[in-house]
């Protein structure tokens, strides 16, 4: 990057303040930090010398002193690598001590791993950070069984692991861990100090941000308001940590309200955020710079008005002197070919082979994304197809991770490419609901399925011919998600709406839409049975059976198996309720479908 680009980059980190021409003078907090660090390093030197003479007598003191130096170094952005090395040495010493006295020294191992994980994450070593955080959580879980006083440390470790998983695209597992951390902290609220209550509010902030990132804006607002209420209950924000936390919560709440379409409600939060930001700039510019660095690691920057905004992926005004790399049409062609061939293999009954090609498409997109932003939709498609292939191959967790990444990718780039990414986001959310349900997470599956229906409604309103069929399909899936979450009346309503759409589509093109109509009729019969409307079950079940007489076998194989299972259950249900003729007809349809599927 040329000089002009460097000036622009520096300006982006300056919070909108004019460059200060006066000699730099550290603020009081920086002076105190340097003093504390120098003292901690002096203690390490003393403990090292003592340990040289009597190792096991002074090794605990050395390990503790190293952990304190690591803690101080980890609060300075330019010293993360140093902090990681210091924490690693502390862990080595604590492990050696824990081999002889585990109850006494395993907390030190866990604490060191937690610190080591945090700084590894800050320098971008995410897999290493995740593994260290997992080990810390595992150790704290074991310690809590014997010593409940370790619960605050377990909560912090769960939060840390959640953060590392989120950075690796494993957002739903991250959400569950952060929820667990919050619940632990809530359980400790009665005995918590101000610092403990601040930690709860901070964890609630993490939970709110994660919910908003996953499209659950109204839930996010409620959680962030709870955190802000906790902050206000402690009184005015005078300390630097309180100012920073209040600012972050205000910004997150305003963004969640905007995402939820409640823009007017966001104004008071933004007003307070600006005031807090000014106060931080006045009282602790060093802390403000640290905050800027931290959120920059997550793809955001602070505007001159104190708001956080996402950094553009490609520079919005690249320097004329900046090197440019042209997009390679051959790369796009290869990605498209891998996508098509991989999905075709998966649909033809070789999902493992298909997943291999789709994984190659994903890797190729990632390698060239920086030089060709138009590959974003291709990457989202490849991830979505990879999720399907791995799901059909029985690799459910991998499938969830792939579609979760696809959804977050679409959200992140939606404003820049709405026409290309809104349909992909809508489809990805439907798939995300299916993948969560396959793992038994039925309550979690409802939110993405509901959002998918809302987006498909928008798309169908603009282009009904292109999207009405997809709207009918995702409505049917939403009805299943509602049913699995024991929300049966909502499930029935969604199924009825899907049926009306499918009937219209079938009338217009019977060949293309027969399979969809069969599925929704079978689901309607199931929904009616679930709410004990026994007299209404036979009609849709029989209509589905009649349509199947000349219907092709649904693709992929799992769709055929699921429909066969539904019809078999309905045949048994009708027989139990004395409708033997209807039961035989539905049972024959199920047997015929199974035979045709087996003969492919």
């Amino acid at each position: 990057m040329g000089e002009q680009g460097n000036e622009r980059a520096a300006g982006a980190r300056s919070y909108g303040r004019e460059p200060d021409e006066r000699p730099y003078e550290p603020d009081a907090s920086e002076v105190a930090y340097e003093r504390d660090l120098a003292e901690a390093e002096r203690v390490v030197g003393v403990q090292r010398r003592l340990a040289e003479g009597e190792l096991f007598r002074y090794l605990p003191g050395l390990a503790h002193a190293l952990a304190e130096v690591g803690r101080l170094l980890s609060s300075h952005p330019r010293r993360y690598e140093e902090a990681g090395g210091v924490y690693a040495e502390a862990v080595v010493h604590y492990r050696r001590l824990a081999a002889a006295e585990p109850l006494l020294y395993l907390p030190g191992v866990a604490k060191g791993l937690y610190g080591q994980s945090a700084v590894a994450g800050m320098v971008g070593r995410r897999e290493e950070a995740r593994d260290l955080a997992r080990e810390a959580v595992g150790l704290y879980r074991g310690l809590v069984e014997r010593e409940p006083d370790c619960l605050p440390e377990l909560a912090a470790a769960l939060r840390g692991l959640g953060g590392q998983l989120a950075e690796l695209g494993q957002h739903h597992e991250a959400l569950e861990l952060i929820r667990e951390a919050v619940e632990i902290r809530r359980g400790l609220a009665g005995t918590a100090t101000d610092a403990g209550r601040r930690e709860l509010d901070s964890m609630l902030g993490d939970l709110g941000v994660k919910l908003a990132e996953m499209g659950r804006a109204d839930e996010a607002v409620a959680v962030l308001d709870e955190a802000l209420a906790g902050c206000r209950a402690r009184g005015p924000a005078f300390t630097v940590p309180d100012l920073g936390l209040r600012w972050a919560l205000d910004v997150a709440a305003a963004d969640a309200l905007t995402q939820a379409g409640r823009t007017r409600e966001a104004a008071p939060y933004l007003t307070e955020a600006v005031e807090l930001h000014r106060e931080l700039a006045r009282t602790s510019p060093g802390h403000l710079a640290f905050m800027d660095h931290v959120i920059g690691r997550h793809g955001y920057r602070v505007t001159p008005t104190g708001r956080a905004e996402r950094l553009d992926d490609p520079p919005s005004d690249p320097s004329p002197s900046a090197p440019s790399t042209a997009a390679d049409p051959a790369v796009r062609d290869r990605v498209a070919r891998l996508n098509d061939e991989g999905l075709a293999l998966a649909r033809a009954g070789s999902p493992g082979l298909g997943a291999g090609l789709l994984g190659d498409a994903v890797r190729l997109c990632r390698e060239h994304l920086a030089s060709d932003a138009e590959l974003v939709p291709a990457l989202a498609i490849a991830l979505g197809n990879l999720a399907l292939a791995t799901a059909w191959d029985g690799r459910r967790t991998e499938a969830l991770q792939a579609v979760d990444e696809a959804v977050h990718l679409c959200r992140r780039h939606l404003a820049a490419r709405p026409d290309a990414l809104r349909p992909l986001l809508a489809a990805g959310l439907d798939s995300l609901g299916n993948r969560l349900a396959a793992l038994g997470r039925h309550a979690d599956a409802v939110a993405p399925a509901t959002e998918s229906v809302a987006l498909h409604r928008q798309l169908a309103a603009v282009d009904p011919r292109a999207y009405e069929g997809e709207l009918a399909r995702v409505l049917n899936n939403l009805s299943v998600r509602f049913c699995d979450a024991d929300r049966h009346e909502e499930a029935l309503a969604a199924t009825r709406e899907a049926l009306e759409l499918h009937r219209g589509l079938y009338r217009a093109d019977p060949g293309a839409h027969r399979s969809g109509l069969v599925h929704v009729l079978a689901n309607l019969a199931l929904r009616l049975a679930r709410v004990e409307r026994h007299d209404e079950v036979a009609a849709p079940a029989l209509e589905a059976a009649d349509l199947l007489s000349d219907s092709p076998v649904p693709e992929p194989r799992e769709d055929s198996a699921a429909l066969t299972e539904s019809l078999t259950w309905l045949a048994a249900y009708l027989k139990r309720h004395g409708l033997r003729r209807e039961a035989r007809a539905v049972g024959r349809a199920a047997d015929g479908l199974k035979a045709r599927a087996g003969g492919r």
Side-chain angles (χ1 to χ4, degrees), residues 20 48 95 97 114 177 216 247 367 430 492 559 589:
D20 193 346
R48 280 195 197 283
R95 287 193 196 277
L97 292 162
Y114 171 72
L177 290 166
R216 297 158 69 170
W247 169 80
E367 287 171 11
D430 174 65
L492 181 58
D559 286 354

Side-chain angles (χ1 to χ4, degrees), residues 398-420:
E398 291 177 59
L400 174 61
Q401 290 172 1
V403 73
D404 207 7
E405 183 180 347
V407 166
H408 277 75
L409 180 73
C410 289
R411 286 197 198 283
R412 192 159 62 246
H413 296 275
L414 184 62
R417 299 174 181 84
D419 292 341

Side-chain angles (χ1 to χ4, degrees), residues 514-515 518 544 546-554 563 593 596:
R514 180 181 287 109
S515 178
V518 169
D546 289 343
L547 285 166
L548 272 173
S549 60
D550 59 345
S551 173
V553 179
L563 182 57
L593 181 60
R596 278 180 285 162

Side-chain angles (χ1 to χ4, degrees), residues 176-322:
E176 292 309 307
L177 290 166
I178 296 168
R179 279 194 195 280
E180 184 181 355
V182 165
E183 291 311 310
I184 290 172
R185 266 294 173 190
R186 277 202 180 111
L188 298 169
T191 57
T193 62
D194 273 357
R197 285 189 284 271
R198 184 186 300 116
E199 184 74 3
L200 171 58
D201 297 335
S202 180
M203 286 182 179
L204 285 165
D206 283 1
L207 179 57
V209 168
K210 180 51 58 186
L211 286 166
E213 287 177 352
M214 297 171 74
R216 297 158 69 170
D218 288 315
E219 290 178 69
V221 171
V223 170
L224 292 163
D225 274 341
E226 180 185 348
L228 282 163
C231 288
R232 290 169 183 138
R234 292 197 304 277
F238 294 120
T239 67
V240 168
D242 274 330
L243 285 167
L245 177 58
R246 286 276 292 275
W247 169 80
L249 292 171
D250 277 323
V251 169
D255 287 347
L257 285 162
T258 302
Q259 181 182 327
R262 298 158 59 185
T263 308
R264 290 186 179 180
E265 296 176 56
Y269 297 89
L270 292 174
T271 299
E272 184 175 63
V274 170
E275 293 170 355
L276 292 167
H277 187 264
R278 286 173 179 159
E279 182 64 15
L280 275 168
R282 185 183 67 80
T283 59
S284 186
H287 186 78
L288 200 59
F290 174 69
M291 285 169 52
D292 188 32
H293 175 84
V294 170
I295 69 168
R297 303 287 306 185
H298 295 275
Y300 289 87
R301 67 173 166 222
V302 180
T303 69
T305 59
R307 288 205 65 172
E309 66 179 13
R310 182 169 284 282
L311 293 162
D312 293 329
D313 289 307
S316 56
D317 53 345
S319 166
S321 58

